[in-house]
């Protein structure tokens, strides 16, 4: 009998709020992950504003971010949409992680974007700028229908994402991310 492959994924929350829906979504995905998939959740409170002058050595929060990305087989960016775009904290984290240029921990890293918002759009307008930032860092963003969680507050119970249809769709996207990881592993073998 074949052993179930193991995938180590890192979910980065793009919100700093204590009661963040996006952090709750990331934690819910980790708690309900399919067998063979482990999801670590990382928040960005310890990542300072990007400053190349401070990158040798990098601040502790940046070193931890880079180490977590490097250790993961794939990345899940779980983000809100701020003013029709990418939250500053997400762009900042991707800027730090993208260094050194063309040799960073993001290079060739399979990535998935998930957005959640209390509004009807579900954060859809944040997908393109997050995708652009990941592509600029040479990540391999999974091509699939966008995972947008609209009116997220109504899909939560006690700080957990409990809407089954939403969980099923998000886990199908994570399966797609794992397929991309498998393809990359096969190409190396």
């Amino acid at each position: 009998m074949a052993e179930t492959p193991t995938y180590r994924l890192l979910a980065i929350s793009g919100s700093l709020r204590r009661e963040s829906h996006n952090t709750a979504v990331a934690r819910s995905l980790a708690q309900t992950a399919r067998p063979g998939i482990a999801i670590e959740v990382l928040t960005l409170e310890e990542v300072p504003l990007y400053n190349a002058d401070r990158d040798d050595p990098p601040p502790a929060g940046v070193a931890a971010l880079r180490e977590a990305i490097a250790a993961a087989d794939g990345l899940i960016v779980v983000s809100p949409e701020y003013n029709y775009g990418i939250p500053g904290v997400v762009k900042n984290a991707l800027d730090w992680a993208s260094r050194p240029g063309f040799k960073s921990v993001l290079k060739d890293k399979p990535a998935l974007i998930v957005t959640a918002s209390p509004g009807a759009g579900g954060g859809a307008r944040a997908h393109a700028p997050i995708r652009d930032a990941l592509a600029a860092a040479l990540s391999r963003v999974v091509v699939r229908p966008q995972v947008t969680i609209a009116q997220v507050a109504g899909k939560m119970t006690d700080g957990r994402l409990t809407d089954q249809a939403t969980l099923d769709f998000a886990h199908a996207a994570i399966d797609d991310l794992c397929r991309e990881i498998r393809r990359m592993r096969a190409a190396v073998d």
Side-chain angles (χ1 to χ4, degrees), residues 9 32 37 59 67 71 113 124 189:
L9 306 178
T32 59
I37 299 174
E67 288 168 13
I113 303 166
D189 290 343

Side-chain angles (χ1 to χ4, degrees), residues 19-53:
E19 299 296 323
S20 164
H21 292 120
N22 287 273
T23 302
V25 166
R27 289 183 177 140
S28 297
L29 294 174
Q31 293 164 354
T32 59
R34 300 191 202 283
I37 299 174
I39 301 174
E40 175 189 352
V41 177
L42 179 73
T43 57
L44 300 170
E45 290 91 354
E46 302 301 318
V47 178
L49 290 175
Y50 180 74
N51 179 346
D53 292 340

Side-chain angles (χ1 to χ4, degrees), residues 8-112:
R8 293 186 62 216
L9 306 178
L10 177 67
I12 296 176
S13 172
S15 173
L16 300 178
R17 286 185 340 108
R18 184 175 33 254
E19 299 296 323
S20 164
H21 292 120
N22 287 273
T23 302
V25 166
R27 289 183 177 140
S28 297
L29 294 174
Q31 293 164 354
T32 59
R34 300 191 202 283
I37 299 174
I39 301 174
E40 175 189 352
V41 177
L42 179 73
T43 57
L44 300 170
E45 290 91 354
E46 302 301 318
V47 178
L49 290 175
Y50 180 74
N51 179 346
D53 292 340
R54 294 185 60 202
D55 202 12
D56 190 19
V62 172
L65 170 68
R66 288 177 178 161
E67 288 168 13
I69 293 171
D73 297 315
L75 179 65
I76 306 169
V77 177
V78 185
S79 178
E81 172 190 313
Y82 289 168
N83 298 316
Y84 289 11
I86 186 173
V89 69
V90 174
K91 179 66 168 78
N92 183 62
L94 295 176
D95 287 344
W96 276 114
S98 71
R99 298 290 172 240
F102 305 105
K103 297 178 187 169
S104 78
V105 294
L106 290 173
K107 184 178 180 186
D108 294 324
K109 185 69 64 175
L112 174 69

